[in-house]
Amino acid sequence: MQNRVIFLADFDYFFAQCEELRNPTIKDKPIVVGVYSGRTEDSGAVSTSNYIARKYGVKSGLPLFMAKKKLEGTDAVFFKVDHEYYDQISSRIMQIFRGYATALEQVSVDEAYMDVTEQVEGSFEKTREYAQKIKADVKTQVGITSTIGVGPNKLVAKIACDSQKPDGLTIIKPHEAKTFLAPLPVDRLLGVGKKTTVKMSEMGIKTIGDLAKYDCQVLVEVFGKAMGIYFHNAANAVDNDPVQEQGEAESISKIGTLKQDTHDLDFILQKTDELSDLVIKEVASKGYSYKTVTIYVVNVDLSSKTRSITLEQPSKDKETITRNVRILFEKFLAESPLEIRRVGVKVSGFSKEQRQQKQLTSFFTSG
Ligand code: DCP
Ligand code: CA
Ligand code: CA
């Protein structure tokens, strides 16, 4: 396989930068964006702050009353979070990114992976100029600065991005990846939380380099097969995870048992209609459009079958599901003489206009 070129772009001090954008006169002051719990005037926590406020020790998670104290005597400005506004800015930037990448995977409101292998013809030599062009385009069109990490995979791109902020650009070529990771503490790897860090430390593993050299077999014994192998690969800068549109891997499905075994189309469609109701509710609540409709059938002999239709255009409505489920069952029943016991309806191939925040870390349990 040709080596991949992956970007991870992260917007700088994002919520605070959004506030700067609509209040340009405060740009030189400490800015704090907070989540106010409302109990007392100052109860709540810092969501984020600009880099001027960070010099005073004001960071995400700090209680607001402490932030106030640290910034006493300065002309600091405090804001309440305004997610709707930040989401709008985020969508505009993601839209720009789309034009620069073959695949885009948004992982949170201010972060997205891009697969740009084709665009730079697999050459890391071309990445600096290309990344700078993206950054400049976002700055000109939207007014927001961002940091880009470049690597041969998502793992390296992410850590590269974190290594120099704000307005950063860090490029790690494939042959540099292992050396780049080696001196970093193990908890820089996704999935290495507090508990795992302690455990690894007991095993004499402090840095990613230590982990890379560690016997993979023992890692598997201690952390289980999936995590053991993941740690071994990650430490060795191996990560084949594709850049995937959010939701692309997902599907929404409902399955139910028929009141009686049957080969009757209308009887089956009554059931699938109920299931489609549930499916479309979930699809709508997530703001998805779907591109594929699938039926699932369990026959009386317990053999199971699926049949799918991929639509020409993504759809959001229930009618498209029921119409295609009917088509699929008409065809299925004509081909299969068996009575049916259970049926299911599934939609997949999602796209989404308004992307929701998704934390990459949510794939892992803490520790
Ligand atoms: N955020 C939050 N609470 C946290 C962490 C983050 O509400 N504990 C929000 C506010 C941030 C946004 O998410 O602006 C993005 O988080 P980042 O971790 O990317 O932090 P920033 O963009 O604020 O700063 P940086 O320049 O370090 O990326
Ligand atoms: Ca950020
Ligand atoms: Ca981020």
Side-chain angles (χ1 to χ4, degrees):
M1 196 179 81
Q2 183 202 26
N3 76 53
R4 293 184 298 153
V5 183
I6 309 299
F7 284 10
L8 187 261
D10 180 292
F11 317 152
D12 301 320
Y13 60 102
F14 183 51
F15 294 2
Q17 200 184 168
C18 289
E19 296 300 344
E20 276 182 12
L21 190 63
R22 61 176 167 185
N23 309 280
T25 56
I26 60 171
K27 216 171 157 39
D28 300 324
K29 302 175 180 176
I31 299 173
V32 180
V33 177
V35 181
Y36 290 78
S37 66
R39 217 168 295 148
T40 66
E41 199 191 323
D42 279 347
S43 67
V46 174
S47 172
T48 196
S49 55
N50 67 355
Y51 281 77
I52 302 174
R54 289 182 198 190
K55 286 202 191 116
Y56 294 87
V58 174
K59 293 182 186 151
S60 299
L62 190 76
L64 280 168
F65 78 89
M66 285 176 72
K68 286 246 159 91
K69 215 185 249 168
K70 285 178 190 281
L71 291 168
E72 225 166 81
T74 73
D75 48 2
V77 191
F78 288 74
F79 292 92
K80 278 193 182 118
V81 286
D82 179 355
H83 288 289
E84 208 179 313
Y85 169 58
Y86 312 142
D87 284 351
Q88 275 175 16
I89 304 271
S90 169
S91 302
R92 285 172 56 203
I93 302 174
M94 295 298 167
Q95 214 43 49
I96 294 173
F97 285 168
R98 255 166 233 288
Y100 283 98
T102 305
L104 179 124
E105 177 178 343
Q106 187 178 344
V107 282
S108 77
V109 69
D110 82 326
E111 231 168 277
Y113 289 101
M114 286 173 259
D115 190 325
V116 300
T117 311
E118 282 176 41
Q119 286 77 2
V120 300
E121 295 163 319
S123 160
F124 276 76
E125 308 304 327
K126 296 183 184 160
T127 56
R128 182 166 301 277
E129 201 184 326
Y130 197 66
Q132 261 153 1
K133 202 162 116 194
I134 300 177
K135 276 158 57 101
D137 197 2
V138 170
K139 178 72 181 139
T140 316
Q141 288 198 53
V142 187
I144 292 284
T145 66
S146 47
T147 292
I148 295 183
V150 181
N153 54 45
K154 295 199 310 194
L155 179 134
V156 174
K158 167 77 180 164
I159 297 178
C161 179
D162 288 342
S163 72
Q164 199 228 325
K165 284 180 172 188
D167 204 10
L169 172 57
T170 303
I171 299 167
I172 305 299
K173 295 176 183 163
H175 70 276
E176 301 164 336
K178 265 189 77 164
T179 339
F180 167 67
L181 297 180
L184 303 174
V186 278
D187 66 2
R188 293 289 294 276
L189 293 176
L190 202 57
V192 179
K194 283 203 185 95
K195 260 168 63 188
T196 307
T197 306
V198 170
K199 182 83 212 154
M200 286 185 178
S201 172
E202 286 166 10
M203 297 162 72
I205 306 169
K206 297 247 192 248
T207 65
I208 297 180
D210 297 336
L211 184 59
K213 282 180 288 190
Y214 210 85
D215 187 346
C216 180
Q217 205 51 50
V218 181
L219 292 177
V220 166
E221 278 159 29
V222 178
F223 299 104
K225 192 166 177 198
M227 285 318 264
I229 292 173
Y230 162 75
F231 289 146
H232 175 77
N233 285 337
N236 284 285
V238 173
D239 170 25
N240 294 320
D241 202 27
V243 174
Q244 212 161 32
E245 285 289 329
Q246 189 188 346
E248 204 172 69
E250 290 176 64
S251 63
I252 293 174
S253 63
K254 298 288 165 205
I255 296 173
T257 304
L258 295 162
K259 287 212 180 71
Q260 62 190 68
D261 299 341
T262 184
H263 196 266
D264 181 83
L265 179 66
D266 287 334
F267 192 84
I268 289 168
L269 293 182
Q270 261 176 32
K271 184 71 197 174
T272 57
D273 194 53
E274 286 168 27
L275 299 172
S276 301
D277 268 335
L278 300 173
V279 167
I280 199 69
K281 244 184 221 155
E282 205 170 316
V283 170
S285 78
K286 295 194 166 156
Y288 286 156
S289 300
Y290 57 88
K291 199 135 193 252
T292 302
V293 177
T294 302
I295 59 164
Y296 174 74
V297 175
V298 180
N299 295 308
V300 278
D301 65 357
L302 297 184
S303 60
S304 61
K305 292 275 181 314
T306 63
R307 295 282 186 273
S308 296
I309 290 183
T310 295
L311 312 170
E312 304 228 330
Q313 294 291 330
S315 172
K316 283 174 175 300
D317 59 313
K318 185 188 164 197
E319 200 275 321
T320 308
I321 301 181
T322 46
R323 179 163 32 87
N324 285 288
V325 166
R326 171 180 279 272
I327 294 169
L328 288 166
F329 268 110
E330 277 171 353
K331 197 153 176 274
F332 181 84
L333 292 169
E335 288 165 6
S336 167
L338 291 172
E339 290 204 314
I340 294 173
R341 174 170 293 183
R342 279 160 70 71
V343 289
V345 174
K346 174 169 99 176
V347 295
S348 55
F350 297 131
S351 47
K352 202 170 181 195
E353 284 139 34
Q354 288 233 313
R355 283 163 187 273
Q356 286 163 345
Q357 181 152 351
K358 176 174 145 193
Q359 288 296 335
L360 196 59
T361 42
S362 69
F363 288 132
F364 296 97
T365 52
S366 68

